[in-house]
Amino acid sequence: MSVRAGIVVTGTEVLTGRIADQNGPWLSQQLLKLGVDVAHITICGDRPADLIAQLRFLADQGVDLIVTSGGLGPTADDLTVATVADFCNRELLLDPELEEHIAGVIGRFRPNTPDLDAGPTRIGIRKQAQVPAGATALPPTGTAPGVVIPAVGGDRPIPTFVILPGPPGELQAMWPSAVTSPAVAEVLSRADDLQQETVRAYGLHEAQLAETLRRAEAEIADFDRLEITTCLRGGELDMVTRFASGDADVYRRLLGVLTEYHGRQIFSTDGSTIDDQLIDVLDGRSIATAESCTGGLVAARLTARPGSSAYVMGGVVSYSNDAKSDLIDVPAEMIAAHGAVSEQVAAAMAEGVRRRLEADVAVSTTGIAGPDGGTDTKPVGTVCFGVAIDGRPTYTVTRRFPGDRERVRTLTTTAALHLVVAQLKRY
């Protein structure tokens, strides 16, 4: 990769887990789109010595760009600008125009602030208006300005810095100004035209994919020009490949090998998710859910997308046996004869909720998520599914999933979506 970057997310609240980091992954995605390879993402508390250590590490790795997030506020623990300025051997200078701009922003947001001209608020404003010598201030999208510091060459070069605020909304709004600033634009002008492609598979084990990749490495010239990462998530195996545009033919040959060996398990070669594909195969039909062990997770997955009200009729969490009978018409004698975790009950749940909610398609889940409740014939992880489609026989299947309660429920949710797509594609 011709241009490499490092990201430092600052904030003790992030380091200790009180707040989940959203900025690191978002910045990484944006940089990749610009052809920049992100070599490291680190999280650092609000301690100058620790931040200096992170910056030194990244600079010693030879990165061209360091992006920081957080630590730009008016309080004593907001020390990112001062610390980075110290690392870059640049004096902090008060920018009077920036000071008045920040004061104007606060005045609009809090017009009755009593100490806007003098006192603690003004002291905080002056702190935020300190800019390293030779740096460019980025206009605030909240109250905190960002900063871009140009690179410095020499025996121990200092990369270009982009210092951004911590709140994700402010950071993302400031990003266009950062990437168009002259110092950052110069770095980006040296970036490769990178591509990223994602293959998604279901029912494929990591060991099987690893063996196929070893085969491909032996068969495909320039295979090492592809950067491949794999991730098993929610029962699906994702393979993400990054490469320069000039190596697109190498990737196409790899894709040919993958489809040859795993065509049945691969459900997406264009990055689309099973959620995307479900909408496509519904093709105007409506869907409903009847859930026991998943407790509404399937319905939550279906309704997570904007516009889902156009095709999701609703869902019923029929956790108890009485709820199965009273809400979606599962015969009590059927539950007594076969048990709540059975394909017979799964079929009746899907048919009942489809009829009750007047949907075209319905999917049901009933199982034993654990940690207790399993038997020799129905151990923990046993889940029965039903897929009812208007005008067709109801499909049922039983699966057994490994792991703890959370994992079983997650795997069940993913499986439910795949089963619906598979059944709709059959016809």
Side-chain angles (χ1 to χ4, degrees):
M1 303 296 180
S2 61
V3 173
R4 302 169 73 239
I7 298 170
V8 182
V9 178
T10 70
T12 302
E13 69 279 6
V14 182
L15 183 67
T16 57
R18 296 200 305 272
I19 295 177
D21 172 34
Q22 299 179 46
N23 292 334
W26 189 88
L27 287 168
S28 181
Q29 292 172 4
Q30 301 310 306
L31 288 166
L32 178 62
K33 292 176 184 177
L34 296 169
V36 177
D37 179 48
V38 176
H40 301 277
I41 299 178
T42 67
I43 298 176
C44 181
D46 297 307
R47 294 179 291 270
D50 291 342
L51 178 54
I52 289 284
Q54 299 278 15
L55 302 181
R56 174 50 57 200
F57 166 76
L58 291 174
D60 288 346
Q61 298 305 302
V63 300
D64 305 276
L65 181 69
I66 296 177
V67 184
T68 73
S69 76
L72 304 190
T75 58
D77 60 338
D78 291 311
L79 298 169
T80 301
V81 173
T83 303
V84 176
D86 181 49
F87 179 80
C88 296
N89 299 311
R90 293 177 184 257
E91 182 185 4
L92 280 177
L93 303 173
L94 178 65
D95 184 331
E97 291 186 8
L98 182 58
E99 179 183 354
E100 293 312 313
H101 180 88
I102 297 170
V105 171
I106 294 175
R108 288 192 297 275
F109 287 163
R110 302 195 303 268
N112 297 320
T113 302
D115 57 347
L116 193 58
D117 295 324
T121 297
R122 175 56 66 162
I123 293 171
I125 291 171
R126 288 205 180 106
K127 177 179 180 293
Q128 291 181 292
Q130 300 279 334
V131 179
T136 300
L138 301 174
T141 52
T143 61
V147 177
V148 172
I149 304 176
V152 176
D155 294 336
R156 202 170 191 185
I158 295 175
T160 298
F161 275 87
V162 179
I163 305 174
L164 299 172
E170 294 183 28
L171 178 144
Q172 294 174 23
M174 190 177 289
W175 182 245
S177 297
V179 297
T180 54
S181 65
V184 178
E186 189 281 325
V187 173
L188 297 178
S189 69
R190 298 184 267 116
D192 282 331
D193 182 12
L194 294 182
Q195 290 183 231
Q196 177 171 294
E197 299 290 343
T198 302
V199 172
R200 304 186 195 279
Y202 184 67
L204 177 62
H205 298 294
E206 288 181 289
Q208 294 173 310
L209 178 58
E211 175 60 27
T212 301
L213 291 176
R214 284 191 289 270
R215 246 187 231 115
E217 185 175 13
E219 297 174 7
I220 298 173
D222 296 323
F223 179 87
D224 60 348
R225 298 181 68 83
L226 306 177
E227 182 181 311
I228 300 171
T229 57
T230 60
C231 176
L232 185 61
R233 180 172 50 191
E236 296 174 346
L237 183 58
D238 292 354
M239 189 189 83
V240 178
T241 307
R242 294 193 291 181
F243 51 91
S245 294
D247 295 317
D249 187 59
V250 182
Y251 176 74
R252 281 193 292 270
R253 293 200 295 273
L254 170 61
L255 190 58
V257 173
L258 292 173
T259 53
E260 176 186 353
Y261 287 100
H262 307 299
R264 293 185 62 185
Q265 291 97 348
I266 291 173
F267 67 90
S268 170
T269 59
D270 61 1
S272 62
T273 64
I274 194 63
D275 310 67
D276 298 326
Q277 296 184 10
L278 177 57
I279 295 171
D280 290 339
V281 296
L282 278 173
D283 192 26
R285 299 180 184 91
S286 59
I287 188 169
T289 64
E291 303 180 61
S292 184
C293 61
T294 46
L297 293 176
V298 179
R301 182 91 171 255
L302 290 173
T303 56
R305 302 172 67 93
S308 56
S309 59
Y311 52 89
V312 178
M313 299 300 291
V316 173
V317 178
S318 51
Y319 207 65
S320 70
N321 290 345
D322 288 343
K324 291 178 176 64
S325 299
D326 296 342
L327 299 178
I328 50 176
D329 306 323
V330 179
E333 56 271 22
M334 176 186 290
I335 298 173
H338 301 284
V341 181
S342 62
E343 291 188 21
Q344 292 87 344
V345 168
M349 288 172 64
E351 292 164 358
V353 79
R354 192 186 73 77
R355 185 171 54 252
R356 282 289 189 114
L357 297 185
E358 300 181 349
D360 301 307
V361 181
V363 60
S364 65
T365 63
T366 178
I368 306 166
D372 304 316
T375 66
D376 290 341
T377 55
K378 296 177 183 178
V380 169
T382 301
V383 181
C384 299
F385 299 85
V387 179
I389 301 173
D390 186 24
R392 303 173 191 171
T394 298
Y395 174 83
T396 61
V397 67
T398 300
R399 300 270 177 85
R400 184 179 176 189
F401 300 110
D404 60 14
R405 183 178 181 84
E406 181 180 359
R407 179 162 172 75
V408 169
R409 282 156 51 95
T410 298
L411 294 175
T412 300
T413 302
T414 301
L417 300 187
H418 278 275
L419 287 171
V420 172
V421 171
Q423 289 307 303
L424 287 171
K425 283 184 174 180
R426 282 184 61 189
Y427 299 91

